[in-house]
Amino acid sequence: SIRRQRQMCIRDRSKPKGTLSWAMWDWASQSFPTVVTSFIFGRYITDSAFAPTGLSPEQADQYTATWLGVSGIISGVLIALIAPIVGRRADTSGRKKMWLMINTWLFAATIGLMFFVQPSNDFFFFGLTLLAVGGIFFEFATVNYNSMLNEVAKPKDRGRVSQFGWGLGYMGGIVLLVIALWIIQFGGAELMGIPDSDALSVRVVMLISMLWVLIFSIPLLLNVPESKPIPGTEKESIFVAYVQLFKSLAAMRKENPNLLKFLIASAVYRDGLNGVFAYGAVLGGLAFGLGLTEIILFGIAANVVAGFGAFIGAFFEDRIGSRTVVLASLIGVMLGGLGVFVFAGAGTIAFFVFGLFLCTFVGPAQAASRTIMSRLSADEKQGEAFGLYATTGRAVSFLAPLAWTLFVSTLSPIWGILGLMAILAIGAALLLTVKPVVAPK
């Protein structure tokens, strides 16, 4: 039977080799959220060199930060419109791995193209376009990757495997940032013969990040088998896919209201968590005067504590429940954010101490959310469900940028952290309406 074939397929893919190969994609793909979005390219593209001439330093900062938010909103809208169909068609066609790899290669290509973004206003919108397009392909890849969790881990082990993959990703981010720091600050560029002009050392890091993705995604390509298609739906058109999607949403409201509540709650708090990483480096530069080297050092430390947090979360999640882990983690993030704001007068030490405390809880929150989504969704609809997971997140992706911009533009950069904490608080309150998900024995 189809059910028996699917169960046999899951048993095959939950072998250690397949599970580790799946988790290695977290390691491989970390170059985008860590190097590109959070700590290097995102900070690089908001440098005053990219602003038009004639602006004051404050106006230049506001100009680049505002357009960074606009590019994120545009990519978010496109992801919200397309992501659920990406996931549904991967489910029905049995091509999750194929589309995962295609989108992986595409976002890797955008990282490589960032090498050509020189520190000038002439390249500003080219850089923002690459950032937005890369984000779209990265999100599409993540939809297919997350939907494979149920195929590489037994139901009772999904929390542990999800946290392990997330932790492995942070470890990869550490290695990448150490390499970047060596090239940019500690003689690596000189040793490699890279001229000290036009930010070439930063741009070379983009090329290395591209190769990182391509090389370390190979294990998944080789060792994780392709999923099976759902009979009778292999040739489903895009129009029919959208029709079926809306039918699924209507059915979800009646048959699985807990999943619908979680989609809404997680959309809000995940946008807050994404905002913490998207604007954290910008906040460090604008409010605390950190240079790129200090930002990279913070990024290395942040990945260390975030990875540690994810591995600790792996120990607790299947024991105390995924929702409890998410709620505790959100409280930890909010306490850290408030500490950054309240003790800002202490300078860099406050940013590092409370910022790192905050980062400890981000990994467990994200990984446990992935586990909840997997357990609340039917095995044969994982792709569609994670497509909706991406879509609901992007549907409110304006919240963090709006809160950030509102607080920063009307007050000062340091107030931006309070805007992000407000979004997290709303998400945590909504999560309380979701019934706890019990791990299978």
Side-chain angles (χ1 to χ4, degrees), residues 151-376:
E151 300 176 6
V152 299
K154 297 176 182 178
K156 66 182 181 65
D157 295 328
R158 288 181 193 175
R160 177 178 57 81
V161 172
S162 180
Q163 294 280 359
F164 173 73
W166 217 280
L168 198 62
Y170 285 124
M171 297 301 102
I174 294 169
V175 177
L176 265 173
L177 288 175
V178 169
I179 293 172
L181 187 64
W182 172 69
I183 292 174
I184 295 172
Q185 184 64 30
F186 294 115
E190 183 179 356
L191 190 64
M192 297 169 66
I194 300 172
D196 186 21
S197 62
D198 294 327
L200 271 172
S201 59
V202 174
R203 291 156 54 197
V204 165
V205 169
M206 298 301 109
L207 291 179
I208 293 173
S209 299
M210 175 190 69
L211 293 174
W212 181 276
V213 176
L214 296 176
I215 292 170
F216 290 111
S217 60
I218 292 175
L220 186 149
L221 176 65
L222 296 179
N223 299 322
V224 179
E226 184 60 277
S227 59
K228 299 292 184 182
I230 299 175
T233 61
E234 295 91 335
K235 297 182 180 180
E236 183 180 79
S237 68
I238 293 178
F239 175 76
V240 171
Y242 271 108
V243 172
Q244 294 300 324
L245 173 66
F246 287 117
K247 288 183 178 179
S248 296
L249 285 172
M252 184 188 300
R253 184 178 180 183
K254 295 180 179 179
E255 300 170 4
N256 199 349
N258 204 39
L259 173 57
L260 186 60
K261 290 179 182 178
F262 175 69
L263 283 171
I264 295 171
S266 68
V268 177
Y269 72 69
R270 283 186 294 124
D271 190 52
L273 292 173
N274 291 336
V276 167
F277 269 92
Y279 299 111
V282 178
L283 177 71
L286 300 183
F288 292 89
L290 301 183
L292 183 58
T293 298
E294 293 170 305
I295 290 295
I296 295 174
L297 286 171
F298 176 80
I300 293 171
N303 276 268
V304 170
V305 298
F308 174 77
F311 287 125
I312 294 298
F315 177 80
F316 284 105
E317 188 180 340
D318 290 328
R319 292 172 171 81
I320 66 174
S322 301
R323 194 191 74 151
T324 301
V325 169
V326 175
L327 284 171
S329 298
L330 292 178
I331 292 172
V333 172
M334 288 186 284
L335 289 175
L338 289 175
V340 170
F341 177 80
V342 172
F343 296 99
T348 304
I349 187 66
F351 181 80
F352 269 80
V353 171
F354 291 102
L356 293 178
F357 177 83
L358 174 159
C359 289
T360 306
F361 297 95
V362 173
Q366 295 278 31
S369 298
R370 180 165 64 185
T371 308
I372 294 174
M373 192 68 216
S374 180
R375 286 179 174 151
L376 284 175

Side-chain angles (χ1 to χ4, degrees), residues 82-153:
I82 304 172
I85 300 305
V86 169
R88 177 174 176 82
R89 289 177 69 82
D91 278 339
T92 58
S93 66
R95 295 176 178 175
K96 291 180 182 178
K97 186 174 76 169
M98 183 191 81
W99 286 112
L100 167 59
M101 296 310 303
I102 288 174
N103 284 294
T104 298
W105 295 329
L106 287 172
F107 82 72
T110 63
I111 298 175
L113 288 172
M114 290 174 185
F115 170 79
F116 299 100
V117 180
Q118 299 180 31
S120 165
N121 182 246
D122 295 335
F123 294 88
F124 182 54
F125 289 103
F126 174 54
L128 288 181
T129 300
L130 290 175
L131 190 60
V133 172
I136 292 171
F137 290 135
F138 175 77
E139 197 70 52
F140 289 169
T142 302
V143 167
N144 288 296
Y145 174 71
N146 286 342
S147 69
M148 296 170 73
L149 175 60
N150 73 306
E151 300 176 6
V152 299

Side-chain angles (χ1 to χ4, degrees), residues 63-77 125 128 132 279 401 405:
Y63 176 86
T64 55
T66 299
W67 278 108
L68 178 66
V70 170
S71 70
I73 292 172
I74 293 173
S75 66
V77 170
F125 289 103
L128 288 181
Y279 299 111
T405 304

Side-chain angles (χ1 to χ4, degrees), residues 39-81:
F39 297 113
I40 297 183
F41 191 80
R43 180 68 187 95
Y44 170 66
I45 201 69
T46 55
D47 189 87
S48 59
F50 287 97
T53 57
L55 297 181
S56 67
E58 293 77 13
Q59 290 173 327
D61 289 340
Q62 187 176 25
Y63 176 86
T64 55
T66 299
W67 278 108
L68 178 66
V70 170
S71 70
I73 292 172
I74 293 173
S75 66
V77 170
L78 293 175
I79 291 168
L81 292 174

